[in-house]
């Protein structure tokens, strides 16, 4: 398999959408959904499915059509490094939210319980 930048964006979309889908299956269990309802787990699930899935799909489309629309060719090394930085940054930002939510960290609170202070 040759990893062209366009294929990287498509594979990144598939990975992020799959992770979001698996977390959605967890949330479909009504007992777990009651526990995880107002936690950062739901926030992470939402971002993986809707935000990141859509953004990576849009970037894949933009990368596909860029040369045809503008007439310029994108450097493969630069495009690959942009994907790598984006993919790592996205996962380093939103993956820990799953674990925070599983530990019961709530969202939409002005003052958090003392159990969450270090």
């Amino acid at each position: 398999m040759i990893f062209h930048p366009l294929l990287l964006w498509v594979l990144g979309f598939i990975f992020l959408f799959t992770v979001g889908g698996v977390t959605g299956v967890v949330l479909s269990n009504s007992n777990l959904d009651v526990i995880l309802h107002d936690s950062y787990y739901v926030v992470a699930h939402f971002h993986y499915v809707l935000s990141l899935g859509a953004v990576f799909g849009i970037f894949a489309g933009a990368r596909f059509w860029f040369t045809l629309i503008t007439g310029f060719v994108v450097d493969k090394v630069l495009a690959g490094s942009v994907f790598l930085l984006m993919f790592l940054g996205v996962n380093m930002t939103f993956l820990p939210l799953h674990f925070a939510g599983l530990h019961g960290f709530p969202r939409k609170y002005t003052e958090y319980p003392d159990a969450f202070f270090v």
Side-chain angles (χ1 to χ4, degrees), residues 1-112:
M1 184 181 294
I2 300 172
F3 291 102
H4 291 289
L6 177 60
L7 181 63
L8 292 175
W9 285 107
V10 170
L11 291 176
F13 162 75
I14 290 171
F15 174 79
L16 293 173
F17 201 77
T18 302
V19 169
V22 169
T23 58
V25 170
V26 171
L27 288 173
S28 70
N29 184 343
S30 60
N31 292 330
L32 290 176
D33 187 44
V34 169
I35 297 168
L36 298 173
H37 176 65
D38 266 337
S39 71
Y40 271 100
Y41 191 87
V42 176
V43 174
H45 162 71
F46 175 79
H47 280 88
Y48 265 91
V49 172
L50 296 178
S51 302
L52 303 176
V55 167
F56 271 64
I58 289 169
F59 281 172
R63 174 67 181 94
F64 181 75
W65 288 103
F66 182 78
T67 304
L68 182 66
I69 292 173
T70 64
F72 296 111
V73 178
V74 178
D75 183 27
K76 288 184 180 182
V77 174
L78 184 61
S81 62
V82 167
F83 166 78
L84 185 65
L85 286 173
M86 203 51 193
F87 188 75
L88 289 175
V90 157
N91 282 307
M92 287 175 58
T93 302
F94 294 109
L95 189 65
L97 293 181
H98 287 106
F99 302 112
L102 287 174
H103 287 291
F105 197 78
R107 64 186 185 112
K108 294 191 211 174
Y109 284 89
T110 56
E111 189 173 330
Y112 291 102

